[in-house]
Amino acid sequence: MTTLGILLVLVLLLVVFGLLFRLQILTSIFSGSSTREVGVSNRVNAILFIIFLVVGGAAFAWSFADNYDKMNPPIASVHGHATERMFWTTMIILGIVFTLTQVLLFVYSYKYQHKEGRRAFFFPHNNKIEVIWTLIPAIVMAGLVFAGWKEWTRITGPAPKDAVVVEVMGKQFNWLVRYPGRDQKLGVVNYRLIDATNEFGFDLSDQNGIDDFVAPEIHVPKGHPVLLKIRSRDVLHAVYMPHFRVQMYAVPGMPTKFWFTPTMTTDEMRAQTGNPKFTYELACNQICGRGHFAMKLNIVVDEPDDYVAWFAQQKSFSEQNPDVLASFKQKSDKLVEKETTPAAAAVVPATAKASL
C-alpha cells in the first residue's frame, strides 16, 4: 500500500510539472514572445472537459441514487424530522449552486478554448455584480445558520424535568452505561477510584450513588424524553445514533449532553424495515485508536410498561459488588474513628482540668 501511494504521488507530480510546462508555453504564445502554434492538444483538452462533466455527473447521480437508503436510515425521534428537513434544504440550495457553477465552468472552458485571432475581453470590476453575488449568499447563509442555531439550542438546552437520564462514557474501546436508581439522581464518580471492577469510578460514600446501576446496553422508553449525559475516560469519542439523528462528542474532562424523544420501538422498526434482526446502534464516529471499529453499543427502545419492568429488574452496582461497598464502609469507619479520637483526647484534659 505504501509503495502504491508513493507511485501515485510521483505520477501526480509528473502531471503537475507537465501542466506547468504547458502553461509556460501558452503564456509565451499569448504574450507574443513565441510564435509556436498551440496545436490540437488544446481542443482535445476542451473536449475532455465536456466528457468529464457528463461522465462524472452521471456517475455521481448513479452513486447518490444507489446509496440513498444507506445514507438515510428511517427516523425514530421527534427532532429527527426537523433535522432532516434542515439538512435537505441546505443540500438542495448548495446542490443547485454547485451544479450551476460547475456546468458553467466546464462549458465555458470548451466554448472559449483557444482559437487563432480571438482574444479574451478584459473585465476588471463591476460594483453592481459584486453587491449581488455578495448579498444573496450572505442572506441565504444567514437564514440557514439561524435555522440551525434555533434547532441546536433546542436539542442541547435543558431537558424536560421528567426525562429519563442515561450516562454514557466512552473509553478505548467500548461504551459504559450508567442509570440513576429509584432516587433518579446519579451519584458522584471519581476517576481515582477506577479499577477493573469499578470501571465508572463509583464513589459509594455518596448516598445518591448507592442505587445507581450499570447496563450492558441502553434501554429507553418510547415517547418519553431521554437525556444523555456524555463523558469520555481517555480520548475524544463521539456518540452517533443515526436513527435518532443524534451526534455529540464525548470529550475528556468536558461532559456534554443531548436529549431526544424516541418515536418507534425496536419491534416497530423491525416491522417497518422487514429486518427481524434490526437493532438500534450507538457507534463512535471519531477514529479513536486501533480498536475504534469495536466501539458499538445496542439500544433498545421499549414500550413504557416494558421499560418500567426492565428498570425494576436491574440490580445496583453496590448490590452486585458488595466487596467494593464494604471497602467504602471500612474507609468511612476509619475516618469516623480518626475524627472521634482527637475529640475524646480533647475532652479528657478538659475534664481533668475541671476536677483540679
Side-chain angles (χ1 to χ4, degrees), residues 306-339:
D306 295 335
Y307 173 76
V308 171
W310 172 84
F311 190 92
Q313 294 173 355
Q314 305 306 307
K315 290 185 178 180
S316 66
F317 176 81
S318 59
E319 286 180 292
Q320 294 182 351
N321 298 276
D323 294 342
V324 178
L325 180 61
S327 67
F328 274 92
K329 287 184 176 179
Q330 287 178 357
K331 291 177 184 176
S332 177
D333 292 342
K334 289 180 180 178
L335 185 62
V336 170
E337 288 178 4
K338 287 182 180 178
E339 289 178 350

Side-chain angles (χ1 to χ4, degrees), residues 187-225:
V188 174
V189 292
N190 187 338
Y191 71 90
R192 293 188 178 90
L193 301 175
I194 292 174
D195 56 29
T197 303
N198 190 0
E199 289 193 289
F200 248 106
F202 280 91
D203 184 350
L204 296 181
S205 61
D206 177 21
Q207 292 302 309
N208 290 332
I210 295 295
D211 59 353
D212 291 356
F213 64 88
V214 297
E217 59 187 9
I218 294 177
H219 278 253
V220 292
K222 171 189 169 185
H224 201 84

Side-chain angles (χ1 to χ4, degrees), residues 45-320:
N45 285 335
I47 294 172
L48 288 176
F49 266 91
I50 297 300
I51 293 174
F52 181 81
L53 173 65
V54 175
V55 175
F60 172 78
W62 171 80
S63 174
F64 181 80
D66 191 55
N67 293 282
Y68 181 80
D69 291 338
K70 297 176 184 175
M71 294 187 295
N72 295 276
I75 301 172
S77 66
V78 173
H79 79 277
H81 295 280
T83 305
E84 193 80 351
R85 282 195 299 273
M86 190 170 57
F87 173 78
W88 284 113
T89 301
T90 305
M91 290 300 293
I92 290 171
I93 293 173
L94 295 180
I96 291 173
V97 175
F98 177 82
T99 302
L100 182 62
T101 53
Q102 296 306 303
V103 169
L104 290 176
L105 173 67
F106 285 92
V107 169
Y108 274 36
S109 299
Y110 174 81
K111 183 177 181 180
Y112 296 105
Q113 60 184 279
H114 172 73
K115 287 183 180 178
E116 290 296 336
R118 185 166 70 182
R119 291 291 182 267
F121 175 69
F122 183 62
F123 191 80
H125 187 70
N126 185 298
N127 286 334
K128 187 178 293 184
I129 294 177
E130 292 279 355
V131 170
I132 290 173
W133 73 30
T134 301
L135 278 182
I136 291 178
I139 292 171
V140 173
M141 292 302 294
L144 293 175
V145 170
F146 177 75
W149 169 80
K150 190 176 178 182
E151 185 62 25
W152 179 254
T153 52
R154 193 177 71 82
I155 57 182
T156 57
K161 292 183 179 178
D162 60 341
V164 170
V165 178
V166 184
E167 185 179 42
V168 179
M169 183 167 72
K171 73 178 184 66
Q172 292 177 321
F173 294 99
N174 64 345
W175 296 98
L176 303 176
V177 181
R178 179 170 69 131
Y179 284 81
R182 294 182 181 280
D183 63 357
Q184 291 299 301
K185 295 179 181 177
L186 287 171
V188 174
V189 292
N190 187 338
Y191 71 90
R192 293 188 178 90
L193 301 175
I194 292 174
D195 56 29
T197 303
N198 190 0
E199 289 193 289
F200 248 106
F202 280 91
D203 184 350
L204 296 181
S205 61
D206 177 21
Q207 292 302 309
N208 290 332
I210 295 295
D211 59 353
D212 291 356
F213 64 88
V214 297
E217 59 187 9
I218 294 177
H219 278 253
V220 292
K222 171 189 169 185
H224 201 84
V226 177
L227 172 61
L228 288 181
K229 293 189 172 184
I230 302 167
R231 293 193 294 129
S232 172
R233 210 173 82 173
D234 37 45
V235 300
L236 183 67
H237 303 282
V239 170
Y240 178 51
M241 300 155 64
H243 292 86
F244 304 108
R245 301 301 192 267
V246 171
Q247 155 82 35
M248 180 60 74
Y249 287 123
V251 186
M254 190 176 78
T256 54
K257 63 181 181 178
F258 196 112
W259 75 271
F260 67 101
T261 304
T263 56
M264 296 182 71
T265 66
T266 299
D267 290 338
E268 289 173 339
M269 186 59 79
R270 286 174 178 170
Q272 178 174 318
T273 59
N275 179 8
K277 296 182 180 179
F278 171 85
T279 55
Y280 291 114
E281 181 182 273
L282 185 161
C284 177
N285 65 356
Q286 290 292 313
I287 298 177
C288 55
R290 182 175 297 178
H292 164 71
F293 67 92
M295 287 202 64
K296 295 180 181 179
L297 186 69
N298 288 339
I299 305 169
V300 180
V301 180
D302 297 310
E303 292 289 354
D305 291 342
D306 295 335
Y307 173 76
V308 171
W310 172 84
F311 190 92
Q313 294 173 355
Q314 305 306 307
K315 290 185 178 180
S316 66
F317 176 81
S318 59
E319 286 180 292
Q320 294 182 351

